[in-house]
Amino acid sequence: MATVRKTITLTDQQDAWIASQVRAGRYTNDSEAIRDLIRREQERSGEIEGIRSALIEAEQSGEPEPFDFTAFKRRKIAEHG
């Protein structure tokens, strides 16, 4: 995978946090730490989009129907004892 060199600006607090992560051995350098944060945000965004899609699908599936918990429980007991 090709890489692109970027210049970014961080606050002193952000820079100190990244430096502490590198010192602790969690990352080998600043770039690795920032790439990991980006990867995690991409994963989180994908998960949120999946949840959004499921919610939209559920909203569009029609009117809700009443749920009879007692009947459900009876069925499960009959199926599984």
Side-chain angles (χ1 to χ4, degrees):
M1 179 181 300
T3 58
V4 177
R5 188 170 186 80
K6 294 279 184 181
T7 301
I8 63 169
T9 304
L10 303 172
T11 65
D12 289 339
Q13 182 182 15
Q14 292 167 333
D15 186 52
W17 183 84
I18 290 172
S20 74
Q21 299 299 300
V22 172
R23 277 193 308 276
R26 183 157 182 194
Y27 301 103
T28 57
N29 57 47
D30 294 7
S31 292
E32 183 184 353
I34 292 168
R35 283 192 304 270
D36 183 54
L37 293 171
I38 292 169
R39 274 192 299 275
R40 285 194 271 157
E41 178 58 22
Q42 288 171 323
E43 289 171 4
R44 190 179 78 85
S45 294
E47 291 169 357
I48 289 171
E49 189 53 41
I51 292 168
R52 260 194 203 107
S53 294
L55 288 170
I56 290 168
E57 182 181 339
E59 288 174 343
Q60 295 174 347
S61 69
E63 290 298 314
E65 298 175 9
F67 182 75
D68 185 345
F69 182 73
T70 304
F72 172 79
K73 189 174 173 183
R74 247 186 269 121
R75 278 195 318 275
K76 293 303 167 186
I77 290 171
E79 291 173 10
H80 303 287

